[in-house]
Amino acid sequence: MWTLDDVIAAVASPPGAGRRGIVRVAGPGVQRVVAGMILTSTHAVPPNLSSAQARRTETSLIVDGLSTPLPVALFIWPDHRSYAGQPTIEIHTIGSPPILNALLETLVARGARIARPGEFTLRAFLAGKIDLVQAEAVLCVIDAGSTEQLQQALDQLAGGVSARMRALREQLLIDLADLEAGLDFVEEDIEFVDRAAMTARLEDAVEWLTRLQRYAHDRGQTTGRQSVVLAGLPNAGKSTLFNALAGREAAMVSPVAGTTRDWLTATVELDGLAFDLVDTAGVEHGSDVISEVAQQMRSERVQHADLVLWCTAADATPEELLLDQDLRSQNLASHEDRRGTGPQRVVTKADQGFIDDGHSCYVSAATGAGLPDLKARLREWLAESGGEGELLSSTIARCGESLSRSLEALSRAREFSSHAGGEELVAFELRRGLESLGEIAGVVYTDDLLDRIFSRFCIGK
């Protein structure tokens, strides 16, 4: 069982030596623990650690094992407004591991205990400062291995998804309360809830949760990075462009149409934004079993893509251009419905004489002409294709089933509401949906779940 009454302490700065080290101490009674270490002779009036105002103060601490007082800066949060939601003091001093360890041992000798992994963030969650979705983002901020991963974790930590989910739960709770009030006065001619308005709200909720589930499913099938798929007719220059963006000869290139039968993937990074670039077979009607399988794989890659670059050969004949336009519309309409954004068009093998119409990029992968502009647009398009629907992989793994159950329940509630079903049926499905949403945000949780999440944190966070 997690306890909240202990004073916990841990080194909060990165391992190893540094110009500054931080020891974080939190919990009821933290002022008493730290005050007993202050060298009072250096102060005409010792610093008041119990003042109601958050502040920074300079002082010296008596640390067991050190022959001289240790100069420190104390950052004091005396109440629930700290990160952990409890009185907290951060001790900033020299970033020497032996000194930080001695400081930690002295705090323990005076009544604190060593914090368990993730315990500061756990207390923030239990105090209502953050929800589980944001708590998981804290871990991903710490473990981020790229600028893209860091930004995605920071976006989730900022609470975009959490704020939308909280607003949804609050509105559903209001609708449920109104429905149940109506059930109590079923014989009275009183309308407690506007059925049409509630149906519209449920429609919006189902639409948002559907997008969230699609994103979770697609991201669960991939590396967690955004994916960019190259599509187009055979011999449109996709593989040459793939090699140019990947920076290596990863795909076999040939003037013979239909050379690419499988799909290839390479990780590309543009100014800190990493994504998976996918080369697919040219769009055509399968003439044999292998071609049919290649077309099926290409279609799956397109459907799961965050962005589709449709490649059109600049030297295509008028007949090929008509076919190109027709197949582009047929193959990518469902992707536009699914993602909310249409594919971007790249005209390949263009060396000169082309005018940018604002909707296409003209590039020559062989000479490099137009590639800088394409890379700049790629980064812009990928940034725009992200949004509040994004969830970190750890969150997807935890709440995938809860998300499905919530979507199922609210879809049924919408159907009952729109077809004038009994209010007791709508209320029943709303309760189911609220319970599942509560599991995602952490309103409903178990000790085992908290152990699984926070045990992955490092000590001091």
Side-chain angles (χ1 to χ4, degrees), residues 352-389:
Q352 59 185 356
F354 291 95
I355 300 175
D356 190 346
D357 59 4
H359 301 287
S360 303
C361 279
Y362 295 89
V363 302
S364 172
T367 67
L371 276 177
D373 179 49
L374 174 60
K375 291 178 179 179
R377 292 199 189 187
L378 257 177
R379 204 184 191 295
E380 177 184 345
W381 289 330
L382 285 173
E384 291 176 352
S385 70
E388 65 177 2

Side-chain angles (χ1 to χ4, degrees), residues 200-216:
R201 288 192 294 269
L202 286 171
E203 184 69 40
D204 291 340
V206 168
E207 181 182 348
W208 179 64
L209 290 174
T210 299
R211 292 201 307 268
L212 206 61
Q213 186 184 53
R214 284 175 177 171
Y215 179 88

Side-chain angles (χ1 to χ4, degrees), residues 187-202:
E187 296 181 358
E188 304 290 337
D189 188 19
I190 303 175
E191 184 179 65
F192 284 85
V193 60
D194 184 334
R195 184 64 76 93
M198 183 178 66
T199 302
R201 288 192 294 269
L202 286 171

Side-chain angles (χ1 to χ4, degrees), residues 105-246:
E105 290 174 1
T106 304
L107 288 165
V108 171
R110 281 162 173 71
R113 69 167 171 81
I114 301 297
R116 291 189 284 266
E119 193 165 3
F120 291 99
T121 304
L122 172 70
R123 293 191 177 193
F125 163 70
L126 294 176
K129 307 286 286 188
I130 57 176
D131 60 21
L132 276 188
V133 175
Q134 292 170 295
E136 287 164 325
V138 173
L139 178 61
C140 291
V141 167
I142 298 169
D143 293 340
S146 67
T147 302
E148 180 199 23
Q149 291 174 351
L150 175 61
Q151 187 58 56
Q152 187 181 9
L154 289 173
D155 289 344
Q156 183 163 311
L157 180 59
V161 174
S162 297
R164 180 71 183 268
M165 197 161 295
R166 281 195 298 271
L168 175 58
R169 288 193 73 255
E170 290 171 3
Q171 183 57 61
L172 292 178
L173 283 169
I174 293 173
D175 288 337
L176 179 59
D178 290 340
L179 283 171
E180 292 182 337
L183 292 175
D184 290 337
F185 296 92
V186 67
E187 296 181 358
E188 304 290 337
D189 188 19
I190 303 175
E191 184 179 65
F192 284 85
V193 60
D194 184 334
R195 184 64 76 93
M198 183 178 66
T199 302
R201 288 192 294 269
L202 286 171
E203 184 69 40
D204 291 340
V206 168
E207 181 182 348
W208 179 64
L209 290 174
T210 299
R211 292 201 307 268
L212 206 61
Q213 186 184 53
R214 284 175 177 171
Y215 179 88
H217 176 268
D218 291 349
R219 191 56 90 234
Q221 307 300 314
T222 66
T223 61
R225 294 181 292 269
Q226 290 176 286
S227 64
V228 176
V229 170
L230 302 179
L233 296 181
N235 206 27
K238 298 184 296 298
S239 296
T240 304
L241 180 60
F242 178 87
N243 290 339
L245 291 173

